[in-house]
Amino acid sequence: MTPELDPVIHAQARLRVVVTLNTLPEGDRIAFPGLKDLLGMTAGNLSVHLSKLEEAGYVEIVKTHRGRTPVTYVALTRRGRVAFEDYTAAIRGLLDAAVTPQPGDT
Amino acid sequence: MDEDERALSPEETLRLIEQQGAAAVHRLMPNPVPHYLAWGVAWFVGFGVLFLHHGLAGTPYAPIPIGVALALLFGLMALAMLVSALTMWQLGSPVRGVSQERGVMYGFAWSFGFFAMWMIAVRFGGHLPDPERNLLWASLSMMVVAILYMAGGAIWLIRPMFVFGAGLAVLNAVGTAAGPGWHALLMSVGAGGGSVAAGLVLRRRLRR
């Protein structure tokens, strides 16, 4: 029914990930545990969704070290931001089409 | 896969986007309320005491030694600065990157601004009679604060913050022209009261 919606984003869990990452200003990244807590997902579940988003080029995952502890940071790529904007626009388009009465429909 | 793979209607999707976005902003953005309240109390009490010391016509309303009044004002301002620094640095925040860098630079701007102001006041204050010297300290420090609020508004595109800074700059100028008593009164009520009010309004807004 909704063929034009980006299938990578159009899954509830991944949409929530993308929305959350999109609130960060460009140039900011969030630590994996912080993102996990914010979304209330399990680490395994979040990892699976993140790798799907990474495959699509929508998120960037950087593994680094703070002292001796490894830390993983996640950020939305520019491509991911654009994809989310397009997705939101498409959703709004669907809503408008549903709300606007058809011509001659009065 | 799991139940959240179920297709959502456009309405549900849009609601999800809005709710999740609001929740993320709420969790990730620093809470500015303690900052506004701390500065508000510092100015209201500090300048209030200074006002009682000076009086509007040059006769004190209460026998408060100037040393006590100034120590109270600058002590409370130092405490407020600590609260702001903790707000800016976002200890424990999982977010790293440009906004953290921006906050650190902005924090340093406060330190360097106050350091320069302190040096100027020490150097020139010695040549002034007592009430004028107090006014020099008070007006210079409020000038630094006003400029940094305006800068903060410009950096983070927070219009109320810029407007508050601009208002402070004007009140500071008017008060300085009118004399030490008036300056202390305007700062206590305008800057202090204004900051407390801003903090309370923000708290109400953020709780919703």
Side-chain angles (χ1 to χ4, degrees):
Chain A
M1 173 208 146
T2 52
E4 72 270 44
L5 290 176
D6 188 334
V8 181
I9 299 182
H10 193 62
Q12 205 174 324
R14 283 198 294 279
L15 177 59
R16 290 178 61 222
V17 173
V18 171
V19 170
T20 302
L21 292 177
N22 190 57
T23 60
L24 297 179
E26 223 166 304
D28 271 2
R29 52 199 183 279
I30 183 167
F32 182 88
L35 183 61
K36 177 179 77 81
D37 293 346
L38 216 160
L39 292 167
M41 288 185 188
T42 63
N45 201 351
L46 179 56
S47 292
V48 170
H49 289 302
L50 281 179
S51 40
K52 275 200 187 140
L53 288 165
E54 194 185 25
E55 268 167 42
Y58 290 175
V59 303
E60 188 183 28
I61 299 171
V62 181
K63 290 183 201 293
T64 169
H65 285 263
R66 197 197 274 165
R68 285 193 159 180
T69 3
V71 212
T72 304
Y73 287 106
V74 186
L76 211 56
T77 60
R78 188 156 295 176
R79 195 165 159 196
R81 271 177 210 276
V82 172
F84 177 62
E85 269 169 39
D86 290 347
Y87 177 82
T88 316
I91 289 285
R92 284 188 201 283
L94 281 177
L95 263 182
D96 288 346
V99 167
T100 319
Q102 298 303 307
D105 214 45
T106 37
Chain B
M1 216 170 121
D2 42 18
E3 90 281 12
D4 60 33
E5 292 299 301
R6 157 183 92 82
L8 294 175
S9 74
E11 287 92 345
E12 285 174 314
T13 306
L14 208 58
R15 206 174 314 133
L16 179 78
I17 290 174
E18 276 159 14
Q19 280 171 355
Q20 188 63 44
V25 167
H26 184 74
R27 288 276 290 273
L28 296 175
M29 297 301 139
N31 177 4
V33 172
H35 161 92
Y36 279 97
L37 291 183
W39 282 96
V41 169
W43 291 329
F44 187 75
V45 174
F47 280 115
V49 170
L50 205 59
F51 167 68
L52 294 178
H53 167 86
H54 284 302
L56 282 185
T59 13
Y61 295 134
I64 299 159
I66 185 63
V68 172
L70 286 181
L72 198 63
L73 175 62
F74 281 93
L76 285 171
M77 277 172 65
L79 273 182
M81 222 177 281
L82 191 69
V83 172
S84 307
L86 292 177
T87 306
M88 290 290 159
W89 285 335
Q90 280 275 285
L91 296 173
S93 162
V95 180
R96 293 289 173 272
V98 286
S99 50
Q100 197 190 27
E101 236 172 279
R102 202 171 276 160
V104 168
M105 280 193 228
Y106 185 68
F108 274 114
W110 280 82
S111 313
F112 283 108
F114 269 95
F115 172 71
M117 166 254 140
W118 175 73
M119 207 40 115
I120 294 168
V122 166
R123 169 84 198 188
F124 295 102
H127 301 286
L128 295 171
D130 267 354
E132 296 294 311
R133 184 171 62 226
N134 302 339
L135 183 56
L136 179 71
W137 277 91
S139 58
L140 276 179
S141 65
M142 291 315 283
M143 184 179 78
V144 174
V145 170
I147 291 173
L148 283 167
Y149 264 81
M150 289 189 279
I155 293 165
W156 287 284
L157 285 180
I158 309 173
R159 205 173 282 198
M161 191 180 188
F162 180 88
V163 170
F164 187 70
L168 274 187
V170 171
L171 271 188
N172 191 34
V174 170
T176 305
W182 279 105
H183 183 265
L185 179 63
L186 283 178
M187 289 302 117
S188 176
V189 175
S195 191
V196 169
L200 294 178
V201 168
L202 274 171
R203 191 170 70 167
R204 251 179 119 188
R205 222 183 267 178
L206 291 175
R207 278 214 177 143
R208 244 175 245 164

